[in-house]
Amino acid sequence: MRITSISPALLDAYALDPEVMHKAGRPHVLVVRLKYKGHNRDFAVPIRSNIPAAVPKTQYFALPPRPTTRPKNRHGLHYIKMFPVSKKYLLRYRTEGNPFAELIQSIIEKNKKEIICACQSYLDQYALGHRPMYSTDLDLLIEKLDEMK
């Protein structure tokens, strides 16, 4: 797993889903080879700095707050905002020389197994029809990604 950024071309193509985080340059964590509806796929999970406090803890992995994180909100990996991605749409996200980004990367590496299990669990529940409000439409996004290949 690594921190990456997503190509604007893919984010533009995903504009049909209003729940996809469209901010260019936003860091994402690449989670490779998760199973969704019988197929192995790569997914990108956005790192968000203002996850509302009311969001269930099963929907995100908490990280230390950023300076832009509002009081009572959370900073972390927001599973319900994950989307499918292919390697050609990944851009390098530089963490060197950025102490906060290096800290986030080390936390993610230390908790890799927990994050992967939580993402897989979310996908399993999503495939069974348990789709939280404000989640991305994975089926629509997979269809769009497959069209772009």
Side-chain angles (χ1 to χ4, degrees), residues 3 27 29 47-50 61-70 74-77 93-110:
I3 297 177
V29 172
I47 300 175
R48 294 189 63 198
S49 65
N50 281 300
F61 177 81
L63 294 169
R66 289 175 36 98
T68 58
T69 306
R70 287 182 233 126
R74 309 288 182 258
H75 177 244
L77 303 176
Y93 187 84
R94 296 191 182 276
T95 58
E96 305 86 16
N98 180 341
F100 187 74
E102 289 174 350
L103 171 66
I104 297 301
Q105 179 68 49
S106 70
I107 291 170
I108 289 168
E109 280 303 313
K110 286 178 193 165

Side-chain angles (χ1 to χ4, degrees), residues 10 15 19 26 32 35 55 69 75 77 83 89 99 140-141:
L10 184 63
E19 295 304 328
R26 173 185 297 279
V32 281
K35 186 170 250 174
V55 169
T69 306
H75 177 244
L77 303 176
F83 55 84
Y89 295 109
L140 176 69
L141 298 175

Side-chain angles (χ1 to χ4, degrees), residues 79-80 82 118-126 132 135-136 138:
Y79 305 136
I80 71 167
M82 78 167 66
C119 287
Q120 187 61 64
S121 175
Y122 170 74
L123 290 174
D124 293 343
Q125 290 299 306
Y126 190 97
S135 63
T136 55
L138 295 177

Side-chain angles (χ1 to χ4, degrees), residues 19-73:
E19 295 304 328
V20 173
M21 311 300 296
H22 296 286
K23 181 180 167 190
R26 173 185 297 279
H28 291 73
V29 172
L30 176 65
V31 183
V32 281
R33 297 291 159 215
L34 293 174
K35 186 170 250 174
Y36 179 67
K37 292 188 175 179
H39 299 282
N40 288 329
R41 297 189 174 273
D42 297 342
F43 287 87
V45 184
I47 300 175
R48 294 189 63 198
S49 65
N50 281 300
I51 301 169
V55 169
K57 291 186 187 291
T58 58
Q59 292 183 6
Y60 69 94
F61 177 81
L63 294 169
R66 289 175 36 98
T68 58
T69 306
R70 287 182 233 126
K72 297 188 180 177
N73 283 356

Side-chain angles (χ1 to χ4, degrees), residues 2-8 87-93:
R2 68 180 195 264
I3 297 177
T4 186
S5 196
I6 307 298
S7 163
K87 289 181 177 37
K88 72 179 184 178
Y89 295 109
L90 301 177
L91 304 174
R92 182 158 188 231
Y93 187 84

